[in-house]
Amino acid sequence: MSRALRGKAAIVGVGTAGCGEAPGFSAMDIQAQAAMAALDEAGLALGDVDGLFCANLSHTFPVLSTLEYLGIRPRWFDGTNVGGSSFIGHAISATLALDAGLCDVALICYGATVRSDAGRMVPAPEQPPYEVPHGPRYPMIAYALAAARHMAEYGTTPEQLAEVAVAARAWARLNPEAFERDPLGVADVLASRMVMEPLRLRDCCLLTDGAGAVVMTRADRARDLPKPPAYFLGGGTASYNRQVSQMPDLTVTAATDSGARAFSAAGLDPADMDVLQLYDAFTINVILFLEDLGFCPKGEGGRFVENGRLAPGGSLPVNTNGGGLSCVHPGMYGVFTMIEAARQLRGEAGERQVPSASTVLCHGNGGTLSHQATAIFGTAETL
Amino acid sequence: MNAVPSQAGPDAQFRAYLEAGEFRLQQCGDCNAWVFFPRLLCPTCASRALVWRKVTGRGRVYSRAVLKRKPERGGDHAIVLVTLEEGVRLMSRLPTTAPEAIAIGMPVIARIEHAGDDPPTVVFMPDEDRP
Ligand SMILES: [Zn+2]
């Protein structure tokens, strides 16, 4: 894999808005607030944005609605929508577009008010015709089926799934922006309502409002901006299917390929990663991604997460903001992995700061275990 | 004999076979791979030489999930993925089997369900003839 994009661009500003509940505001309202916050951090103005990267579940043409609301006239657009992983793909294509001179300031943004609107995930307008007659509930069905298969094949236990939720909550308790901050133990997770066997309520991500934005520039410009840059070191994407019933092996995701591509592009290995941000729509996701990204062998993910390994004080900090399980999950979560990555790399994460974090891996999942995207960011000393 | 309109697309052909009481899937004439969902090319080798053939209907439960519902909302609802002997996998149900009696790995056999005005679907029941 080419290292041509390594260090070519960096995250220079991040922002969030409306995380939790934003009654009375639209998705476009809070997305604009997040974008302005990210640009303010970067010392840039809205008029500087000439590359726009958006995906969402609420608008037919997210890029067009966003540029119109913001009153900007970009010269480069990427509205690739492959689910919640889209934004990590956008960071890769933003780096490519910046490096090629197709744009100078890239804005990647997302906003949704799913909690205030409906209180549930709005299903995609088009659903798999050979699955729907059997009454699946999307997206959860995919993760319940994957968890059940992983448990049958590898002996993964409900307690091990619970460890993932408990670690996320322990991080959330250190993050004033997190939505759920009450104490949570393994017994609490196991006592929560069974929603779709084998997954319980606390195995499932939150459903909140929220918006996130990331601003990227070329590395030479990033050095002169106010915040320490979070350099793009490498990224990769992969997908084999859209429907969960078409997934070749429910226990192996396309993260095996997206991760290998990202590590190769960055010239780094799993052992070089200080912090991970893994899209945790459900607890099983984290176990699958730890295996598929190479942090433990296939089938060992359940045992790997035991004894608080992912939690504050553990040996592998995962989802230091509290993740989709406890911090924020407005339908699509991918952009928030990069926001937390930048904060960790700057040393701005407060009580939850991982000491001397110099590399962060961000991983996004899209659809129903359908699309996987991985990107690695690092501080100046990793260049 | 010819329940299938000659100009039907693959989805309509699949459905027409089900309506005629036959569970047929496409098989690739070049690489022999079986294909589901119905389409116009073989996703294994890109051949367009697909032939509709009867399948045995025998398979095994590859995974299962149970949507927990109150009795007044229909009760617990089990959904399975079944891998057919031919190698393809599909989402389905075991309408006459209690959710707790459905285990990963158990042998199942297909039948065609006609429910009201809905198009026919392939569902499964335990296959008592196999371990
Ligand atoms: Zn073929």
Side-chain angles (χ1 to χ4, degrees):
Chain A
M1 180 66 66
S2 166
R3 294 190 191 170
L5 293 179
R6 194 182 197 281
K8 296 293 188 189
I11 298 174
V12 295
V14 299
T16 60
C19 291
E21 291 173 330
F25 293 90
S26 73
M28 284 289 149
D29 293 332
I30 60 174
Q31 180 181 260
Q33 288 179 303
M36 293 306 299
L39 288 161
D40 285 349
E41 265 200 2
L44 295 167
L46 207 40
D48 295 323
V49 175
D50 60 356
L52 184 60
F53 301 74
C54 304
N56 67 35
L57 299 171
S58 53
H59 292 70
T60 305
F61 302 117
V63 166
L64 305 184
S65 300
T66 299
L67 70 88
E68 180 181 75
Y69 187 110
L70 297 177
I72 58 176
R73 297 182 175 191
R75 59 194 175 103
W76 188 253
F77 314 83
D78 185 346
T80 304
N81 183 2
V82 284
S85 52
S86 300
F87 313 91
I88 292 176
H90 292 163
I92 302 171
S93 69
T95 302
L96 191 62
L98 288 163
D99 187 51
L102 296 168
C103 62
D104 295 323
V105 175
L107 172 65
I108 303 167
C109 55
Y110 174 74
T113 52
V114 283
R115 189 179 186 90
S116 296
D117 292 348
R120 60 184 164 78
M121 284 289 285
V122 178
E126 163 265 328
Q127 294 290 4
Y130 291 102
E131 294 186 356
V132 164
H134 302 293
R137 182 185 289 174
Y138 294 110
M140 191 176 191
I141 181 65
Y143 304 91
L145 289 167
R149 183 71 200 180
H150 202 277
M151 293 166 112
E153 210 163 318
Y154 298 113
T156 306
T157 66
E159 289 77 8
Q160 290 166 341
L161 294 177
E163 287 265 9
V164 174
V166 168
R169 182 60 58 85
W171 284 112
R173 288 174 58 73
L174 303 176
N175 179 6
E177 284 191 17
F179 187 67
E180 293 269 15
R181 303 188 68 207
D182 293 336
L184 185 77
V186 168
D188 301 317
V189 178
L190 296 179
S192 67
R193 178 171 61 87
M194 189 68 86
V195 181
M196 192 187 287
E197 194 183 308
L199 297 179
R200 295 171 169 81
L201 183 64
R202 293 298 177 190
D203 288 305
C204 308
C205 63
L206 306 171
L207 197 65
T208 66
D209 300 335
V214 166
V215 176
M216 297 181 75
T217 68
R218 276 184 294 281
D220 53 356
R221 188 171 190 184
R223 280 192 289 276
D224 300 328
L225 296 175
K227 292 289 187 183
Y231 291 94
F232 176 89
L233 300 180
T237 57
S239 176
Y240 318 138
N241 56 281
R242 183 237 192 274
Q243 313 173 55
V244 66
S245 56
Q246 294 288 317
M247 193 168 166
D249 182 339
L250 275 185
T251 67
V252 181
T253 73
T256 48
D257 286 330
S258 72
R261 287 165 189 158
F263 284 122
S264 171
L268 296 168
D269 292 316
D272 299 316
M273 298 298 105
D274 294 329
V275 185
L276 311 184
Q277 308 295 338
L278 309 177
Y279 189 158
D280 53 346
F282 298 88
T283 49
I284 186 65
N285 296 37
V286 171
I287 288 172
L288 290 171
F289 299 150
L290 287 167
E291 294 171 351
D292 293 341
L293 295 169
F295 290 90
C296 64
K298 180 49 65 185
E300 292 292 319
R303 282 174 286 280
F304 186 82
V305 303
E306 286 179 338
N307 303 312
R309 189 194 294 257
L310 315 185
S315 59
L316 185 64
V318 172
N319 295 345
T320 49
N321 58 348
L325 288 166
S326 280
C327 179
V328 62
H329 190 276
M332 293 168 120
Y333 173 78
V335 74
F336 296 95
T337 65
M338 297 189 290
I339 291 168
E340 178 66 5
R343 289 174 174 166
Q344 287 287 344
L345 291 172
R346 293 172 187 167
E348 284 183 352
E351 270 194 272
R352 67 185 191 281
Q353 179 64 47
V354 175
S356 58
S358 65
T359 53
V360 182
L361 178 145
C362 296
H363 182 79
N365 164 69
T368 46
L369 287 171
S370 313
H371 179 270
Q372 307 295 330
T374 313
I376 297 165
F377 296 90
T379 56
E381 57 264 32
T382 63
L383 291 175
Chain B
M1 170 62 203
N2 190 12
V4 179
S6 58
Q7 294 303 309
D11 289 307
Q13 275 193 323
F14 176 66
R15 180 173 159 179
Y17 281 124
L18 290 183
E19 279 167 352
E22 292 184 3
F23 182 16
R24 285 179 185 254
L25 295 179
Q26 295 161 298
Q27 187 178 22
C28 179
D30 284 316
C31 77
N32 294 324
W34 290 85
V35 178
F36 185 80
F37 49 94
R39 67 194 87 175
L40 289 175
L41 57 80
C42 169
T44 301
C45 78
S47 167
R48 281 173 288 176
L50 302 183
V51 183
W52 290 95
R53 295 216 165 89
K54 274 190 188 171
V55 293
T56 63
R58 290 195 292 266
R60 285 186 188 271
V61 173
Y62 175 69
S63 193
R64 72 182 272 279
V66 184
L67 178 62
K68 306 300 274 191
R69 291 186 307 206
K70 292 179 178 147
E72 61 268 29
R73 314 250 334 235
D76 291 353
H77 177 61
I79 291 162
V80 294
L81 295 180
V82 171
T83 309
L84 297 179
E85 276 186 348
E86 289 79 7
V88 298
R89 193 177 295 146
L90 57 164
M91 184 176 284
S92 190
R93 286 168 288 132
L94 278 68
T96 55
T97 308
E100 58 273 17
I102 302 172
I104 290 176
M106 73 186 269
V108 291
I109 183 109
R111 68 178 173 82
I112 298 166
E113 184 181 72
H114 302 262
D117 293 336
D118 294 337
T121 53
V122 175
V123 297
F124 290 84
M125 53 192 182
D127 186 355
E128 315 287 357
D129 297 338
R130 281 183 297 150

